[in-house]
Amino acid sequence: MNGLVIILIGIVVLAAAYIFYGRWLARKWGIDPKAKTPAYTKEDGVDYVPSSKFTVFSHQFSSIAGAGPVTGPILASVFGWVPVLLWLLVGGIFFGAVQDFGSLYASVKNEGKSIGMIVEKYIGKIGRKLFMIFCWLFTLLVIAAFTDMVAGTFNAKGLGDGVADEQLFANASAGSISMMFIGVAIILGVIIKFTGDKLKEWMKAIIAVALLIGMFALGMNLPIYATKQTWVFIVMAYLFFASILPMWLMMQPRDYLTTFMLLGMIGGAVIGVLVAHPSMNLNAFNGFKVNDSYLFPTLFVTIACGAVSGFHSLVSSGTSSKTVSNEKDMPFIGFGAMLFESLLGIVALVVVGSVAVNGTKPDGTPFAIFSSGVAGFLEKLGVSNTIATVFMTMCVSALALTSLDSVARIGRMSFQELFTVDDMEHAAGWRKLLCNKYFSTIVTLLCGYILTQIGYANIWPLFGSANQMLSALVLITLCVFLKVTGRENRTLFPPLIIMLCVTFTALVERVIALVKAYGAGTAVFLVEGLQLIIAILLMVLGVIIVISCGKELFRKKAGQETK
């Protein structure tokens, strides 16, 4: 099939889903445009910051559109393009978008509280503690996997003689541009902060695009040639500051800039498809078992973020909900951003399909496959190979970096919430230390750094399973919230049940595989050992949380809390 037809099908289906299903949910749950949001009632200039609709959307989209929507569909394409496309559409609409919108909605309606604090309110304090432990462990997996990916993408030293100079230059230039990105984001943040409403949305957009072009041109002339390990340390240093600095100073302007870059990447890919009309060279369906992996649950946990991701709920309730200026913006931010991510997943599927060999994806990392594929499209538009390669390398690394800075902040907040009590002013010294944002950030990043030694290829299956498990836990919490407040919650039951089946099956399979590796004597503690420990912890925590939430779901009375 022609790749253009697949993308057009995706756009039509996703647009219809937003217009009909997204708005239907908004009407059922209730949106109050006159209500004061937490961004105003709890404004502090750091986390709670009233922001424009597009600014919050930019943060939401760029934070959730990490490596997942590119990596997942490309890895899952071994099963064929049809099952991948179906899950991107069905999962994105009825699972992912509902969860993201629901998490944002529940948080805004509960004073901007994180999903963990919402668990405490509707499930109980023990449930909250267990949930926050699960969330914190999950953020460590994300930090480890994405840091390893980004450092590998920027690596331009010590790769051996087999790597072309052009590829080394692309990696080094992308790393340089990404570092400049941080400085440029801070400049934009200061401009927006001190000009306020005087700076119109179109003026901000022009400034953002101009800064991006200047940064790109300068970065290509000042490439940074460094080893992968050096980049790991640089990324960790960046995450430390991203975790503690005010939202308006770094994260929001960075996400704002990134959104233009990602939209440019998607637009370039779509235009390239229009010009090239690439054929879908992947097989439509390769069977229910491929390379000793069964389609269920492998397909679902591999595609992960492109269809549904528990991590999105942490972004929706952890950061985005604290910056929403008006409740009427929530469907566009929560539901809409997820649909855009599903579209990115479809674009990634078409890209890998265009470069597939003998019906299967080519060798190489998903980032490399995606970058080279879209760069090939851009070349057909007259863009030089060097510029196209650098641009795409920068874009795919930006996908991971924008998720990384959000997850570092969320990880820090999750760690703090584990030890927070109502009266922190009179709390014990050790508790104040653990809740200190600098200390909690260092602990979180240090643990994430240890896990980077495993490598993203080994972390990804565990990350995918934990990600989907988190989604199931969030969905059951939202079911309780919606029931207690007298709102429609039946639409959440099918995705909840399916996600529970997928994730527990995947985690059990992973544990069995790791145990077999130990039995065969091929396991290494820093690789299989750490994975086994984390997998068992996630399973145990998941079972306890599901039981606790399930009891409350059946015990609570419908409408017992006023809306």
Side-chain angles (χ1 to χ4, degrees):
M1 181 179 282
N2 189 288
L4 176 60
V5 174
I6 295 174
I7 289 180
L8 289 176
I9 290 172
I11 291 173
V12 170
V13 172
L14 294 172
Y18 178 78
I19 294 170
F20 297 106
Y21 190 46
R23 290 179 178 176
W24 179 80
L25 283 177
R27 288 196 301 271
K28 278 290 184 179
W29 291 349
I31 298 291
D32 185 2
K34 297 180 181 179
K36 276 200 169 186
T37 62
Y40 287 106
T41 59
K42 302 182 72 174
E43 184 175 0
D44 61 5
V46 179
D47 293 316
Y48 292 86
V49 183
S51 306
S52 70
K53 178 180 179 178
F54 187 73
T55 299
V56 185
F57 174 85
S58 299
H59 166 69
Q60 177 80 6
F61 174 62
S62 58
S63 294
I64 67 174
V70 170
T71 302
I74 291 177
L75 292 176
S77 65
V78 295
F79 290 102
W81 68 266
V82 170
V84 175
L85 177 64
L86 289 175
W87 181 236
L88 284 170
L89 291 174
V90 175
I93 295 168
F94 298 104
F95 291 63
V98 172
Q99 177 216 244
D100 293 8
F101 178 34
S103 302
L104 181 67
Y105 183 89
S107 180
V108 170
K109 290 294 187 179
N110 281 277
E111 302 177 327
K113 291 178 179 177
S114 70
I115 197 71
M117 300 304 289
I118 293 172
V119 169
E120 177 178 341
K121 179 177 180 179
Y122 295 103
I123 310 299
K125 289 189 175 181
I126 294 177
R128 171 208 156 199
K129 291 289 185 185
L130 294 172
F131 184 84
M132 294 317 301
I133 293 172
F134 189 99
C135 287
W136 186 68
L137 287 173
F138 173 72
T139 61
L140 299 185
L141 292 173
V142 180
I143 290 171
F146 287 13
T147 297
D148 188 70
M149 286 183 185
V150 171
T153 303
F154 293 160
N155 186 13
K157 202 171 182 180
L159 290 175
D161 299 329
V163 182
D165 291 340
E166 292 81 2
Q167 186 60 54
L168 294 176
F169 174 76
N171 293 359
S173 297
S176 175
I177 294 169
S178 296
M179 292 303 99
M180 292 180 187
F181 208 109
I182 299 168
V184 167
I186 293 174
I187 293 171
L188 181 62
V190 172
I191 292 173
I192 294 174
K193 176 69 174 178
F194 292 102
T195 54
D197 295 333
K198 296 177 183 178
L199 198 63
K200 302 299 182 183
E201 201 65 52
W202 64 268
M203 295 173 67
K204 283 195 291 184
I206 291 175
I207 293 173
V209 172
L211 288 171
L212 283 172
I213 294 172
M215 174 190 71
F216 186 80
L218 186 60
M220 287 194 67
N221 288 287
L222 296 171
I224 299 175
Y225 289 88
T227 63
K228 180 179 178 179
Q229 192 59 40
T230 301
W231 277 114
V232 168
F233 291 131
I234 293 173
V235 171
M236 286 291 175
Y238 161 66
L239 294 181
F240 175 80
F241 289 106
S243 176
I244 62 174
L245 290 177
M247 286 280 292
W248 64 265
L249 183 59
M250 182 181 287
M251 284 185 64
Q252 275 194 338
R254 175 181 161 74
D255 293 341
Y256 187 82
L257 288 166
T258 301
T259 299
F260 284 100
M261 189 168 64
L262 297 184
L263 290 176
M265 179 188 73
I266 296 172
V270 172
I271 293 172
V273 169
L274 283 169
V275 173
H277 284 275
S279 297
M280 175 55 75
N281 297 321
L282 288 169
N283 293 331
F285 183 59
N286 288 325
F288 291 98
K289 186 178 181 182
V290 178
N291 299 330
D292 295 325
S293 294
Y294 290 95
L295 187 143
F296 180 88
T298 307
L299 177 81
F300 305 96
V301 298
T302 302
I303 292 178
C305 309
V308 57
S309 167
F311 166 63
H312 296 183
S313 68
L314 304 184
V315 176
S316 296
S317 65
T319 52
S320 296
S321 64
K322 297 172 176 59
T323 57
V324 173
S325 295
N326 195 307
E327 285 192 12
K328 67 181 182 181
D329 298 339
M330 290 193 292
F332 179 68
I333 296 165
F335 205 91
M338 180 62 233
L339 298 186
F340 264 100
E341 180 168 3
S342 292
L343 178 60
L344 178 56
I346 294 171
V347 171
L349 177 63
V350 170
V351 170
V352 69
S354 69
V355 295
V357 180
N358 296 324
T360 59
K361 72 178 184 68
D363 294 332
T365 66
F367 274 12
I369 295 170
F370 186 74
S371 297
S372 62
V374 178
F377 292 161
L378 295 177
E379 279 189 78
K380 293 182 182 296
L381 299 177
V383 181
S384 74
N385 179 267
T386 301
I387 292 176
T389 303
V390 172
F391 177 71
M392 284 310 306
T393 304
M394 179 185 69
C395 285
V396 294
S397 61
L399 288 170
L401 272 173
T402 49
S403 289
L404 267 173
D405 53 26
S406 291
V407 84
R409 195 179 192 94
I410 292 166
R412 181 260 293 176
M413 294 166 70
S414 297
F415 187 85
Q416 287 177 296
E417 287 186 18
L418 278 171
F419 304 99
T420 299
V421 292
D422 294 334
D423 187 12
M424 283 301 298
E425 186 177 344
H426 299 95
W430 64 269
R431 190 180 293 276
K432 289 182 177 180
L433 174 64
L434 293 174
C435 291
N436 177 275
K437 69 177 181 180
Y438 302 104
F439 183 82
S440 56
T441 298
I442 291 172
V443 171
T444 299
L445 294 180
L446 181 60
C447 293
Y449 170 75
I450 293 172
L451 289 178
T452 60
Q453 307 309 301
I454 298 176
Y456 93 90
N458 291 310
I459 295 174
W460 193 263
L462 192 56
F463 157 76
S465 301
N467 194 15
Q468 308 296 280
M469 173 68 79
L470 181 57
S471 175
L473 300 180
V474 170
L475 286 170
I476 195 170
T477 301
L478 292 177
C479 283
V480 177
F481 158 72
L482 293 171
K483 180 180 179 180
V484 168
T485 55
R487 296 180 169 94
E488 169 64 44
N489 73 347
R490 288 171 296 179
T491 54
L492 272 64
F493 287 123
L496 165 62
I497 295 169
I498 293 172
M499 280 295 97
L500 286 174
C501 294
V502 167
T503 51
F504 276 113
T505 303
L507 281 173
V508 169
E509 286 185 350
R510 192 63 184 161
V511 168
I512 292 173
L514 292 169
V515 170
K516 284 183 177 179
Y518 264 98
T522 59
V524 177
F525 178 74
L526 277 178
V527 180
E528 286 82 8
L530 287 178
Q531 288 186 75
L532 182 60
I533 292 170
I534 294 174
I536 292 173
L537 279 173
L538 292 175
M539 284 179 60
V540 172
L541 287 169
V543 169
I544 296 173
I545 296 170
V546 167
I547 293 173
S548 300
C549 293
K551 287 180 179 179
E552 292 301 315
L553 178 61
F554 290 106
R555 190 180 67 83
K556 298 283 189 183
K557 293 181 180 179
Q560 70 180 58
E561 179 184 298
T562 58
K563 296 184 181 183

